[in-house]
Amino acid sequence: MKSWIESANDPGTDFPIENLPYGVFEGGICVAIGDSVLSLRSCAEKGFLEGLTDATVEAARGTVLNGIMALGAGERSALRARVGELLRAGYPRDRELAPLLIPIRSVAMRKPVEIGDYTDFYASVFHATNVGRLFRPDSPLLPNYKYVPIGYHGRASSIVVSGTDIRRPCGQTRSPGGEAPVFGPTRSLDYELEMGFFVAENNPLGQTVPIEQAGSRIFGLCLVNDWSARDIQAWEYQPLGPFLSKNFATSISPWVVPIEALAPFRTPAFRRPPGDPEPLPYLFSPEDQASGAFDVWLEVCLSTAIMRERGVAPVRISRSNLRDLYWTPAQLLAHHSSNGCNLKPGDLLASGTVSGETKDARGCLLERTSRGAEPIELPDGETRCFLEDGDEIVMRAFCERDNFARIGFGECRGTIAGSRSVD
């Protein structure tokens, strides 16, 4: 398709008319198109959304995306179709609509969703195997991994939008061979390259979401950086798992790519090696197995304070693909609700670190540096085992396929600030 906005027709843009990701800025809900944003609130006020249901128009006038996520599938599709109609080449009222466009570089993006609950999974078998091998060389994967999607409940209140500085957290750590822990700033601060899935609609408490319906309950995807303090995590995680090592901050990208935009990039579920168990019946759907995964490339770039001072470009340190998740997004959602847990519009489910088979496809420094034993060498001569103050992590994601427009997710950025003083 073509847009009357020329920048949207650039093959290299993240935001062609086929994408139309949702975001929120100071003017309310918007969509990205090329190098601009279109305010949906302004569209509603100027009559460009006439013919849609009252609930849809009211949701479009909101200040977060939860109202749109709460709509029925038909209403969500109708809104997306209308926005696409407004921006498509040949739209007869393009001159009336043009004043509602704002250069994307001039807007300050906000957290797009009021996130009520956040669950982080462990869905990459390569990540789980790599990490397990560091701690349990003879038995990297625990017996349950290939039967049940593993996850933990994260902290929604500390989720921040891209560009927010990340304060180095303090916590208890114990050095190898130490008799007692000490309290202080983490020395092993890490990123985790993840993808997030936002929930649409809701299921009442006690009611499950069958695997056949779970895919339609995913509103859209965003980038997630689940910052982690590995030394704090190593001391605290037994027996109940992550706590203060992860709840201090999680960054998300400001743009939510609708599930409809990713239809050309669907791909079969991860092919399980011979001998692996088939998913249990409540996690198995022929349709989900045939097209429940997504072919999305994810990248991590690192820029140190010294690199920026010297004018050295950020260096890519990881590149992986979402199709390598052992569990599909629909399986994660179906499992989450399988005990009757009530999922609500705007709840965030994250994939866990997305890693691949090769070393350069490992999605965190814990894996990439083998727990600090193999430092990364940077172009200016610096090395990194874990993140230092002043380091900036930039995550990007995109989809590419012959004869289809490239779809991008924008960026998820975060710079490490110093820790608070410890008395």
Side-chain angles (χ1 to χ4, degrees):
M1 293 186 290
K2 296 291 183 182
S3 172
W4 54 268
I5 301 168
E6 284 304 317
S7 61
N9 303 320
D10 184 338
T13 183
D14 271 358
F15 308 129
I17 194 171
E18 290 86 352
N19 191 347
L20 302 180
Y22 291 100
V24 169
F25 73 123
E26 58 268 25
I29 296 172
C30 61
V31 296
I33 178 73
D35 60 5
S36 300
V37 301
L38 175 66
S39 166
L40 293 193
R41 175 182 292 179
S42 297
C43 286
E45 292 174 349
K46 299 293 184 180
F48 287 100
L49 302 185
E50 287 183 354
L52 300 178
T53 66
D54 291 345
T56 302
V57 175
E58 185 62 26
R61 293 169 60 95
T63 57
V64 288
L65 295 177
N66 297 64
I68 295 177
M69 293 175 172
L71 297 171
E75 292 173 300
R76 299 196 306 270
S77 294
L79 175 60
R80 175 174 166 79
R82 173 60 58 83
V83 175
E85 176 188 347
L86 298 178
L87 298 171
R88 191 169 295 126
Y91 178 64
R93 298 175 61 190
D94 57 357
R95 292 188 177 182
E96 297 177 58
L97 190 64
L100 306 187
L101 293 168
I102 306 170
I104 199 168
R105 64 180 181 275
S106 68
V107 300
M109 300 303 296
R110 298 180 177 178
K111 190 165 66 174
V113 180
E114 187 63 38
I115 301 170
D117 280 298
Y118 162 49
T119 302
D120 198 16
F121 283 92
Y122 197 47
S124 167
V125 69
F126 297 116
H127 172 64
T129 301
N130 290 336
V131 172
R133 190 174 288 122
L134 292 173
F135 296 92
R136 300 178 303 275
D138 297 329
S139 182
L141 285 183
L142 295 175
N144 64 346
Y145 185 85
K146 294 184 177 181
Y147 287 94
V148 57
I150 304 298
Y152 71 93
H153 290 292
R155 181 75 182 177
S157 66
S158 55
I159 296 177
V160 297
V161 73
S162 171
T164 305
D165 286 350
I166 304 303
R167 177 72 66 182
R168 180 177 296 274
C170 294
Q172 283 195 28
T173 61
R174 190 180 73 170
S175 60
E179 294 185 1
V182 296
F183 183 84
T186 177
R187 297 181 179 179
S188 304
L189 187 57
D190 201 356
Y191 63 84
E192 288 193 345
L193 174 62
E194 306 192 16
M195 188 64 76
F197 314 99
F198 280 109
V199 174
E201 304 178 50
N202 70 294
N203 57 290
L205 183 65
Q207 179 176 313
T208 65
V209 179
I211 182 65
E212 294 81 6
Q213 300 174 17
S216 66
R217 290 284 309 280
I218 297 172
F219 175 82
L221 281 62
C222 74
L223 280 163
V224 174
N225 184 347
D226 185 38
W227 304 97
S228 300
R230 299 302 188 185
D231 45 0
I232 298 173
Q233 182 179 3
W235 173 241
E236 76 176 5
Y237 85 103
Q238 297 187 47
L240 294 181
F243 183 33
L244 300 183
S245 59
K246 288 177 174 285
N247 71 0
F248 60 94
T250 300
S251 299
I252 63 172
S253 55
W255 299 109
V256 180
V257 175
I259 201 75
E260 296 93 335
L262 299 172
F265 308 102
R266 286 186 172 272
T267 191
F270 183 84
R271 181 172 293 180
R272 298 187 171 201
D276 278 17
E278 289 294 320
L280 294 179
Y282 80 100
L283 293 174
F284 183 85
S285 155
E287 182 179 356
D288 186 57
Q289 290 295 301
S291 60
F294 295 91
D295 186 2
V296 182
W297 288 103
L298 301 101
E299 297 182 344
V300 179
C301 292
L302 169 64
S303 172
T304 72
I306 293 176
M307 287 171 64
R308 293 192 295 275
E309 290 174 3
R310 295 174 177 173
V312 178
V315 60
R316 191 178 75 192
I317 56 177
S318 176
R319 191 172 195 255
S320 57
N321 196 292
L322 196 62
R323 64 174 175 244
D324 286 334
L325 293 184
Y326 197 78
W327 301 98
T328 69
Q331 287 175 318
L332 300 182
L333 193 149
H335 178 67
H336 202 313
S337 72
S338 63
N339 66 346
C341 175
N342 53 326
L343 302 175
K344 298 181 179 180
D347 282 359
L348 177 63
L349 312 183
S351 62
T353 303
V354 182
S355 295
E357 289 188 90
T358 61
K359 186 171 183 177
D360 63 355
R362 296 175 181 177
C364 66
L365 289 175
L366 179 69
E367 293 176 79
R368 191 72 171 78
T369 69
S370 298
R371 205 180 178 186
E374 302 173 12
I376 293 176
E377 296 186 7
L378 302 177
D380 64 342
E382 294 181 271
T383 61
R384 285 292 185 274
C385 294
F386 292 99
L387 298 175
E388 302 290 343
D389 292 351
D391 288 352
E392 181 182 42
I393 291 295
V394 182
M395 296 180 174
R396 301 185 180 94
F398 60 92
C399 308
E400 289 183 331
R401 183 182 174 189
D402 290 344
N403 302 316
F404 287 90
R406 176 186 183 276
I407 298 294
F409 287 72
E411 296 181 338
C412 183
R413 291 176 171 266
T415 302
I416 306 304
S419 64
R420 63 179 178 84
S421 60
V422 179
D423 296 332

